[in-house]
Amino acid sequence: MTNERGDVALTFNGEIYNYLVLKSELIQLGYHFLTGTDTEVIIHGYKEWGIDGLVGRLRGMFAFALHDRGRYSRKEEFLFLVRDRLG
């Protein structure tokens, strides 16, 4: 899945248990969702909170790769590989 601009791409497996709470918070911050999935919450959450802020909020069992082509990360390109705390 990608964001609406196509500069953040995500490959995700797992389940985010608290995604509805995070989605509600992101909607209040002005984000719009095209799906009802937890995957989209990860993309918008990254844009709002950065990778550390996002991962600290996630509750669940998951692994994902997030590729940021540079617009949200000081014009540098990043690839984040993330898994839940129990891995």
Side-chain angles (χ1 to χ4, degrees):
M1 178 178 276
T2 63
N3 67 341
E4 52 280 344
R5 293 182 183 180
D7 54 354
V8 176
L10 176 73
T11 299
F12 168 71
N13 185 37
E15 184 176 351
I16 306 301
Y17 304 142
N18 63 330
Y19 84 96
L20 291 174
V21 172
L22 298 175
K23 182 177 181 177
S24 176
E25 188 175 339
L26 289 163
I27 288 171
Q28 290 177 350
L29 292 168
Y31 289 89
H32 300 280
F33 288 80
L34 301 175
T35 71
T37 67
D38 49 1
T39 307
E40 195 172 9
V41 168
I42 295 171
I43 291 176
H44 290 317
Y46 168 70
K47 287 170 35 180
E48 180 64 29
W49 303 306
I51 196 68
D52 292 330
L54 168 65
V55 173
R57 287 174 168 83
L58 297 178
R59 303 292 177 261
M61 54 181 189
F62 56 86
F64 64 84
L66 187 142
H67 180 229
D68 180 344
R69 294 192 334 187
R71 288 201 184 159
Y72 296 105
S73 58
R74 295 168 266 138
K75 307 295 183 209
E76 297 177 86
E77 191 168 343
F78 288 98
L79 175 64
F80 298 102
L81 304 175
V82 180
R83 66 178 185 171
D84 64 84
R85 290 162 187 81
L86 297 178

